[in-house]
């Protein structure tokens, strides 16, 4: 085998997302959604399936396969084939960002030069009952004593911990979902079209003591893919040298699969985003002030509140007030100047609306953080969402109930 030529850099050169909740039933299986997203990403990058020598897939909930990536690679005809690296990554909702970092490693150290990271799921297509039967199993354990819906209940317990220990309020939690709905209403592909108010959120049906249905990751069907390439591949293919965005750093850290039964037994030990962000900042040799756009995981409000603290946007314990203040500033700004005011000037975070409002097909949504970051860094987000002069982005994926954190830092690299 010839020696591996170490590339100078790794870039995301293509992205693809399928529409959310497609109407055609033939497009609804997770595998079909993955294949469509991959096709869109290949077309977007201007490369072919035969160029691909690495594939990473994130498993689905609606139609789980043993070795999801091998299953997909076989379906699309990538396997059998020589010198292909195919891997399934399972860090829950952190999967797409873990996949992105793994793709970089495959390119830097294993000789791959074009790697796809793919995710797709169809959890809205399942009945509510079937979805909960499957979702409840993922993070449940008798020791945790979490009631169904297990995942919302687990995050709710963490929200109560944060209320007790850091004094965050119920309104601050609700302002996360209200703010995400404003952001989503400005993205043409988002499921949430109309912003919701804090009152609407607080008065909606509660699924756990401090969590209403409008504060849950919005169950959806959809697929997404990104393509990462080595600088060598970009040169060989004659692609523009400044195509896409550069992966400049990354970090991962882990916590337990479920929180302790009693809030009094919970501690800061179980959270891992701050550690993952610290590793990513160190590798990229940047700090929070150098980041122009943040794609932060927000499956439930408490995740977003803790994320703004963990990435260094707000001091510890102040994430709730940080988001609530900005929410009111944005509501006022839009009231005064509905056409000219830009929420992203105040809050350059989740300009697509996140899991709470854009849509959340199980483990796919961190991919939307990445795709939105690429649009921001290539200045193609359009006038309603574009962050001024965006040059660096941070994306964060969270898996389980704060069980896995993966953070990547991307740069425009022009
Ligand atoms: C739900 N609805 C929303 C919404 N969430 N509307 C706006 N914004 C939101 N965020 C709407 C639905 O579209 C639907 O309306 C109605 O509320 C009821 O939702 P449902 O899901 O059909 O109802 P139900 O079967 O009763 O279940 C409610 C629920 C469930 C809250 C128990 O949706 C749920 O468990 N959601 C959380 C999903 C989840 O846990 N994802 C993983 C997050 S953890 P309509 O009009 O469409 O009928 C994570 C980490 C990881 O991300 O590793 O995975």
């Amino acid at each position: 085998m010839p020696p591996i030529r170490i590339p100078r850099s790794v870039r995301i050169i293509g992205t693809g997302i399928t529409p959310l909740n497609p109407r055609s039933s033939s497009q609804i299986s997770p595998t079909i959604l993955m294949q469509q997203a991959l096709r869109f990403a290949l077309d977007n990058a201007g490369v072919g399936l035969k160029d691909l020598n690495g594939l990473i897939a994130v498993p689905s909930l609606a139609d789980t396969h043993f070795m999801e990536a091998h299953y997909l690679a076989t379906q699309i005809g990538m396997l059998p084939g020589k010198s292909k690296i195919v891997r399934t990554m399972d860090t829950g909702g952190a999967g797409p960002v873990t996949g992105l970092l793994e793709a970089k490693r495959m390119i830097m150290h294993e000789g791959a030069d074009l790697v796809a990271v793919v995710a797709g799921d169809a959890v809205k297509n399942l009945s509510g009952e079937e979805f909960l039967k499957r979702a409840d199993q993922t993070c449940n354990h008798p020791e945790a004593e979490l009631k169904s819906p297990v995942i919302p209940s687990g995050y709710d317990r963490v929200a109560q911990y944060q209320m007790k220990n850091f004094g965050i309020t119920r309104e601050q939690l609700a302002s996360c979902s209200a703010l995400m709905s404003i952001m989503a209403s400005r993205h043409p592909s988002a499921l949430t079209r109309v912003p919701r108010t804090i009152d609407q959120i607080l008065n909606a049906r509660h699924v756990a003591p401090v969590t209403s249905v409008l504060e849950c990751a919005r169950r959806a069907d959809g697929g997404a893919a990104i393509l990462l390439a080595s600088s060598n591949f970009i040169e060989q293919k004659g692609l523009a040298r400044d195509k896409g965005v550069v992966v400049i750093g990354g970090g991962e850290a882990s916590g337990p699969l479920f929180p302790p039964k009693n809030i009094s037994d919970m501690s800061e030990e179980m959270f891992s985003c701050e550690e993952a962000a610290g590793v990513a900042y160190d590798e990229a040799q940047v700090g929070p002030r150098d980041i122009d756009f943040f794609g932060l995981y927000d499956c439930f409000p408490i995740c977003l509140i803790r994320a703004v603290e963990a990435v260094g946007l707000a001091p510890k314990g102040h994430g709730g007030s940080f988001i609530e203040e900005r929410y009111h500033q944005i509501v006022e700004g839009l009231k005064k100047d509905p056409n000219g005011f830009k929420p992203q000037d105040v809050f350059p975070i989740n300009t697509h609306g996140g899991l709470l409002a854009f849509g959340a097909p199980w483990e796919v949504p961190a991919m939307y953080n990445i795709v939105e970051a690429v649009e921001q860094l290539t200045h193609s987000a359009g006038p309603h969402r574009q962050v001024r002069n965006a040059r660096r982005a941070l994306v964060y994926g969270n898996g389980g109930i704060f069980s896995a954190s993966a953070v990547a830092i991307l740069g425009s690299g022009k």
Side-chain angles (χ1 to χ4, degrees):
M1 217 172 120
I4 294 171
R5 270 180 65 208
I6 308 279
R8 283 188 316 280
S9 65
V10 174
R11 304 182 81 106
I12 300 176
I13 61 162
T15 63
I17 63 175
T18 72
L20 284 160
N21 298 350
R23 287 212 185 88
S24 153
S25 59
S26 66
Q27 299 177 351
I28 282 180
S29 88
T31 306
I32 299 288
L33 292 165
M34 288 184 206
Q35 290 184 26
Q36 277 180 356
L38 176 58
R39 170 51 51 208
F40 292 152
L42 291 166
D43 291 349
N44 177 244
V47 298
L49 188 59
K50 62 178 182 344
D51 294 315
L52 210 57
N53 47 18
L55 179 76
I56 294 170
V58 171
S60 79
L61 188 75
D63 187 20
T64 312
H65 295 109
F66 175 61
M67 299 170 75
E68 190 79 57
H70 284 75
Y71 179 80
L72 180 62
T74 308
Q75 294 282 310
I76 60 179
M78 183 179 169
L79 293 177
K82 292 281 170 240
S83 306
K84 310 280 184 196
I85 313 173
V86 173
R87 263 174 212 151
T88 302
M89 310 295 305
D90 184 4
T91 53
V97 182
T98 300
L100 183 159
L101 299 177
E102 179 69 2
K104 181 176 177 183
R105 285 188 284 267
M106 282 180 175
I107 291 171
M108 296 298 279
H109 305 298
E110 297 182 75
D113 40 33
L114 181 68
V115 181
V117 185
V118 188
D121 215 328
V123 287
K124 184 70 183 167
N125 199 36
L126 297 172
S127 68
E129 197 184 346
E130 184 59 29
F131 170 71
L132 280 186
K133 200 168 111 195
R134 296 178 190 205
D136 280 358
Q137 276 172 7
T138 59
C139 296
N140 208 1
H141 191 279
E143 269 175 39
E145 288 188 19
L146 287 166
K147 281 200 213 125
S148 182
V150 165
I151 298 177
S153 298
Y155 281 92
D156 188 277
R157 189 176 287 171
V158 178
Q160 292 184 50
Y161 160 84
Q162 198 85 1
M163 289 170 107
K164 181 165 170 254
N165 289 279
F166 297 100
I168 64 160
T169 66
R170 185 68 191 85
E171 285 72 21
Q172 288 172 357
L173 289 163
S175 67
C176 296
S177 173
L179 182 41
M180 287 302 101
S181 70
I182 294 177
M183 294 305 197
S185 69
R186 302 169 74 83
H187 191 300
S189 308
L191 286 180
T192 304
R193 306 291 346 136
V194 180
R196 48 198 178 228
T197 63
I198 289 185
D199 277 352
Q200 283 170 330
I201 294 161
L202 293 177
N203 291 324
R205 171 170 63 102
H206 273 59
V207 297
V210 294
T211 310
S212 83
V213 69
L214 297 177
E215 297 172 283
C216 295
R218 188 165 181 174
R219 195 155 68 93
D221 304 335
I226 54 174
L227 282 181
L228 292 100
S230 66
S231 45
N232 307 344
F233 177 86
I234 290 170
E235 273 165 39
Q236 276 161 19
K237 279 275 162 190
L239 301 173
R241 275 166 178 256
D242 62 359
K243 191 172 174 61
V245 307
V246 185
V247 183
I248 50 182
E252 288 186 79
S254 301
L257 190 60
F258 48 84
K261 179 175 92 178
N262 297 312
I263 290 170
S264 53
D265 293 333
M266 284 172 63
S267 76
E268 290 296 294
E269 270 281 282
M270 66 171 272
F271 302 103
S272 53
C273 179
E274 193 176 341
E275 187 185 340
V279 175
Y281 281 138
D282 282 352
E283 194 191 352
Q285 298 195 355
V286 297
R289 292 214 180 121
D290 302 307
I291 305 295
D292 307 299
F293 169 78
F294 293 82
L296 301 181
Y297 208 82
D298 63 321
C299 47
F300 296 89
I302 189 59
C303 192
L304 185 61
I305 287 176
R306 290 202 59 101
V308 294
E309 297 174 14
V311 302
L313 285 169
K316 207 167 184 55
H318 294 265
S321 53
F322 174 90
I323 292 171
E324 188 182 36
E325 279 163 22
R326 275 149 191 84
Y327 167 68
H328 289 297
Q329 213 177 330
I330 289 169
V331 169
E332 279 307 304
L334 286 170
K335 209 182 277 172
K336 282 198 193 120
D337 183 7
N339 298 319
F341 184 82
K342 293 191 188 309
Q344 64 271 29
D345 286 348
V346 173
F347 199 77
I349 303 172
N350 295 1
T351 41
H352 60 305
L355 285 83
L356 290 168
F358 183 82
W362 196 236
E363 313 303 28
V364 180
M367 203 72 100
Y368 301 140
N369 293 357
I370 300 170
V371 171
E372 186 70 0
V374 171
E375 292 204 8
Q376 290 292 353
L377 296 177
T378 54
H379 298 180
S380 52
H384 293 308
R385 305 188 340 271
Q386 184 62 51
V387 171
R388 282 173 222 264
N389 195 24
R391 289 177 306 122
R392 284 195 205 89
L394 179 150
V395 292
Y396 157 49
N398 156 61
I401 303 173
F402 292 105
S403 318
S405 298
V407 172
I409 295 176
L410 311 174
S412 68
K414 288 234 180 214

